[in-house]
């Protein structure tokens, strides 16, 4: 017997979840604006270097402004412990089985924090090139990272995550020669998915490209 297909109902539920997230993200954006806090989120596949880049960024930024960080992972508070070494306020969000951060998780994590006492908030998303793209967190600036060790084709395979970002960062550039990374092809792939997108190449380990990156953040924060 041909029963009513269930798939449309599931899609409906997902739409409602996303709509709910958008409403919360809008409220968060308004709170950030009222508090005068500049919010940056970072997304990439697992291990691309989000935490390492944040460690270096926070180490510098904490002398320039009042900065804090939220970091999402399915399990462990390893990344929060790493970021806490920079001596800025940090909170880990453990998502359990959820493969991305949602606006409600940010709202919850911010409980007890006085946003007006911050100038800049960094959010590290769960390592994933798919799910985070659908969830607005109310951030001012969203960055997608890809490391040279992942291959040049990631923008073509995961276009949505690049399309929903404001800028792309190619990380671990110190390893480019070892993995025969084709920088020109990577740029072309990013541009073909998101024409005109700003791209940074850097190594949080060697420091190469870090000045341009920090300058970009400062500029965006002032805009
Ligand atoms: N050579 C080199 N290694 C790097 C660089 N950045 C990060 N790594 C290394 O890459 C590995 C993963 O870095 P993380 O910063 O933990 O990556 P992540 O994106 O935060 O990982 P998840 O939070 O698990 O998704 C670690 O062993 C880092 O030391 C870099 O610029 N150069
Ligand atoms: Mg991390």
């Amino acid at each position: 017997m041909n029963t009513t297909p269930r798939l449309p109902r599931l899609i409906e539920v997902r739409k409602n979840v996303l709509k709910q997230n958008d409403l919360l993200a809008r409220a968060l954006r308004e709170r950030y604006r009222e508090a005068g806090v500049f919010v940056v989120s970072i997304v990439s596949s697992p291990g691309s270097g989000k935490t390492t880049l944040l460690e270096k960024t926070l180490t510098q930024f904490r002398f320039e402004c009042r900065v804090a960080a939220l970091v999402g992972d399915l399990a462990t508070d390893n990344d929060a412990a790493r970021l806490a070494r920079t001596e800025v306020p940090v909170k880990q969000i453990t998502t359990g089985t959820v493969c991305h951060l949602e606006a409600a998780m940010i709202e919850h994590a911010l409980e007890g924090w006085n946003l007006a006492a911050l100038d800049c908030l960094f959010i590290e998303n769960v390592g994933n090139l798919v799910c985070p793209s659908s969830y607005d967190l109310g951030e001012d600036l969203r960055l997608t990272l890809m490391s040279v060790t992942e291959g040049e084709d990631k923008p073509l395979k995961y276009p949505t995550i690049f399309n929903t970002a404001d800028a792309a960062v190619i990380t671990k550039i110190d390893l480019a020669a070892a993995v025969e990374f084709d920088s020109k092809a990577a740029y072309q792939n990013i541009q073909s998915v998101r024409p005109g997108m700003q791209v940074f190449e850097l190594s949080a380990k060697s420091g190469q490209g870090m000045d341009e990156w920090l300058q970009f953040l400062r500029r965006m924060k002032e805009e």
Side-chain angles (χ1 to χ4, degrees), residues 47 49-52 71-73 79 82 124-125 127:
K50 298 179 290 298
T51 309
T52 310
V71 53
D73 278 299
D79 283 3
R82 284 169 63 191
E124 176 181 336
N125 214 317

Side-chain angles (χ1 to χ4, degrees), residues 11-211:
I11 288 170
E12 198 57 41
V13 169
R14 186 160 177 269
K15 260 193 198 161
N16 285 340
V17 169
L18 289 179
K19 193 169 164 218
Q20 180 63 18
N21 186 80
D22 284 344
L23 292 174
L24 280 175
R26 199 178 301 164
L28 275 176
R29 185 167 281 117
E30 186 57 24
R31 273 181 68 192
Y32 301 152
R33 200 189 55 75
E34 275 174 11
V37 56
F38 176 64
V39 181
V40 181
S41 82
I42 299 184
V43 62
S44 79
S45 57
S48 300
K50 298 179 290 298
T51 309
T52 310
L53 179 58
L54 270 183
E55 283 179 283
K56 295 291 159 71
T57 304
L58 296 178
T59 299
Q60 179 61 38
F61 259 50
R62 76 188 188 97
F63 294 113
E64 302 178 21
C65 58
R66 300 168 300 173
V67 61
L70 301 176
V71 53
D73 278 299
L74 267 68
T76 84
D77 61 359
N78 291 356
D79 283 3
R82 284 169 63 191
L83 294 176
R85 291 200 298 253
T86 65
E87 294 179 12
V88 313
V90 177
K91 255 191 209 173
Q92 179 81 46
I93 302 171
T94 41
T95 61
T97 55
V98 182
C99 55
H100 56 267
L101 289 178
E102 296 181 8
M105 298 175 191
I106 304 295
E107 191 184 43
H108 182 66
L110 290 176
E111 277 167 20
W113 274 12
N114 177 13
L115 274 184
L118 292 177
D119 300 310
C120 205
L121 173 70
F122 287 90
I123 303 172
E124 176 181 336
N125 214 317
V126 176
N128 190 314
L129 277 183
V130 184
C131 313
S133 59
S134 306
Y135 291 85
D136 185 7
L137 304 177
E139 66 272 67
D140 298 293
L141 188 70
R142 181 180 286 211
L143 303 156
T144 296
L145 269 54
M146 61 179 269
S147 65
V148 298
T149 55
E150 291 163 54
E152 304 82 3
D153 61 355
K154 291 302 159 290
L156 302 179
K157 290 184 174 178
Y158 303 92
T160 318
I161 203 85
F162 285 86
N163 257 319
T164 52
D166 299 295
V169 184
I170 299 173
T171 60
K172 309 191 188 181
I173 205 73
D174 54 299
L175 302 177
V179 296
E180 298 179 356
F181 181 70
D182 185 342
S183 178
K184 200 168 155 218
Y187 269 79
Q188 276 171 358
N189 292 340
I190 292 169
Q191 297 304 325
S192 72
V193 167
R194 182 96 198 251
M197 189 182 219
Q198 198 159 0
V199 184
F200 295 88
E201 276 190 16
L202 56 82
S203 165
K205 288 264 176 183
S206 73
Q208 186 185 338
M210 284 299 290
D211 284 347

